[in-house]
Amino acid sequence: MPALKDKHENIMMKRDCEIKGLLGDDIAHAYELEKEGFPKSHAASFDLLMYRHLEAPGLMIGYFAKDELVGYISGTRYHGSQVTEESKKMHIPNGGSVCIHSVCVKTHRRRQGIGTKLVQEFVQQVKLHEQCVERIVLVTNSILIPLFTKCGFVLRWKSLIVNGPEALYELELQLLSQKL
């Protein structure tokens, strides 16, 4: 695959589907997916998604089917080695960790491999375009652990983040070949 010239250039195409960077106009659609995919207490606000997009646009990609956003992934960089409440609300451009905050797919498009494709492409984009990243980390519920382990993530421990009665778990993908 040729090198990307622009963060918003097409990353992957398959028939009428493509993965590409989100543009400002896509954030409202991403917010709708966020509300659909997470309990109200856990979903990012529209303002927080806009902040993440403005601060770390290269860490927000979407899966589009015939120009419709059907899934997206959002992340930021952070200086710590694990996901914290603080890391969910800030972006530190030279942080050694990339924290994935959201992986959302429209309800009727789930279990079709879209989430897996988004995570795999996100990991590749971090390796190609983010310098000095030591790890990618995320927090998820037990049901989604297999999605992330299939993409190379390793279960670390029960997360310090509490969101309702369900336990959350932290996973990590160590990046061996860093750009220094």
Side-chain angles (χ1 to χ4, degrees), residues 10-104:
N10 175 22
I11 297 168
M12 182 191 88
M13 283 196 74
K14 184 176 181 185
R15 297 187 191 137
D16 291 332
C17 300
E18 61 183 340
I19 294 178
K20 62 183 180 179
L22 295 185
L23 300 173
D25 294 345
D26 298 321
I27 303 305
H29 300 290
Y31 178 59
E32 293 304 316
L33 292 177
E34 182 85 11
K35 293 190 306 185
E36 181 182 312
F38 289 105
K40 189 175 184 177
S41 62
H42 195 58
S45 68
F46 177 79
D47 289 342
L48 184 55
L49 290 178
M50 283 300 296
Y51 168 80
R52 290 176 183 165
H53 182 261
L54 291 171
E55 293 296 319
L59 295 174
M60 290 186 89
I61 61 173
Y63 185 97
F64 293 81
K66 297 182 181 176
D67 296 323
E68 176 190 10
L69 181 65
V70 296
Y72 87 98
I73 188 167
S74 166
T76 58
R77 290 185 68 165
Y78 189 65
H79 58 76
S81 62
Q82 64 188 92
V83 181
T84 64
E85 288 295 338
E86 180 183 58
S87 70
K88 294 173 12 176
K89 298 174 183 154
M90 64 174 35
H91 173 67
I92 299 175
N94 62 348
S97 298
V98 167
C99 302
I100 294 177
H101 303 297
S102 302
V103 179
C104 297

Side-chain angles (χ1 to χ4, degrees), residues 71-165:
Y72 87 98
I73 188 167
S74 166
T76 58
R77 290 185 68 165
Y78 189 65
H79 58 76
S81 62
Q82 64 188 92
V83 181
T84 64
E85 288 295 338
E86 180 183 58
S87 70
K88 294 173 12 176
K89 298 174 183 154
M90 64 174 35
H91 173 67
I92 299 175
N94 62 348
S97 298
V98 167
C99 302
I100 294 177
H101 303 297
S102 302
V103 179
C104 297
V105 177
K106 278 189 177 250
T107 304
H108 72 279
R109 296 297 302 267
R110 293 181 185 158
R111 311 243 4 118
Q112 297 176 19
I114 294 170
T116 300
K117 289 175 186 164
L118 277 168
V119 172
Q120 290 170 337
E121 187 60 41
F122 185 87
V123 168
Q124 289 306 310
Q125 292 305 306
V126 167
K127 288 178 178 178
L128 288 172
H129 300 292
E130 297 293 324
Q131 295 185 351
C132 302
V133 173
E134 299 168 25
R135 70 193 65 79
I136 302 174
V137 293
L138 61 94
V139 170
T140 191
N141 59 35
S142 60
I143 294 169
L144 293 175
I145 290 173
L147 163 71
F148 297 107
T149 56
K150 182 168 54 171
C151 296
F153 286 80
V154 174
L155 178 63
R156 292 175 73 188
W157 47 64
K158 189 174 174 181
S159 175
L160 300 174
I161 294 177
V162 177
N163 186 32

